[in-house]
Amino acid sequence: MSGGGFVRLPGGSVVVALTLPSPAADDHKVRILVHSVNRARALTRLRNLGLRAVYLRGNTAPPTLDEITAVLHHPDGLLWRTAPEEVEELWHPIRALLRSSVRSA
């Protein structure tokens, strides 16, 4: 079961965080962060990238302050890293995740 949540920022936009199975077809999970105008647009951004079965049910795992800071400072507003965070790993642009899933397919 994937966990996820969101935080509404003072400016009205939201940061959505989702933990999903890796599209690279391995047994790992990834934590994806999306900054958008609202929750529906955030999920639409992911679906448009090919992550079709993405839903946000509840607010069980909202983004942490560090995650919010990371996604707000990224020009695309769309980041990922493996979950759970066993080692210190930097955030990656979403293109890196989708590129690795295409190579492994």
Side-chain angles (χ1 to χ4, degrees):
M1 184 79 179
S2 63
F6 69 96
V7 171
R8 183 165 303 280
L9 301 174
S13 61
V14 297
V15 174
V16 174
L18 295 166
T19 303
L20 303 169
S22 174
D26 52 8
D27 291 336
H28 298 307
K29 291 188 179 272
V30 293
R31 178 86 164 166
I32 298 177
L33 302 176
V34 184
H35 178 234
S36 190
V37 176
N38 57 39
R39 285 180 290 174
R41 282 238 176 117
L43 297 176
T44 300
R45 287 184 72 187
L46 291 174
R47 289 180 187 129
N48 287 343
L49 291 171
L51 301 172
R52 298 290 179 207
V54 177
Y55 297 98
L56 181 61
R57 302 192 195 286
N59 200 11
T60 58
T64 63
L65 292 177
D66 290 339
E67 291 175 335
I68 294 169
T69 301
V71 76
L72 289 178
H73 284 89
H74 193 270
D76 292 339
L78 198 55
L79 301 172
W80 73 276
R81 73 176 167 193
T82 56
E85 305 150 21
E86 296 173 2
V87 296
E88 285 296 317
E89 179 183 3
L90 298 176
W91 290 96
H92 309 282
I94 197 72
R95 291 181 302 270
L97 178 66
L98 298 176
R99 208 175 348 191
S100 67
S101 67
V102 169
R103 268 190 247 137
S104 65

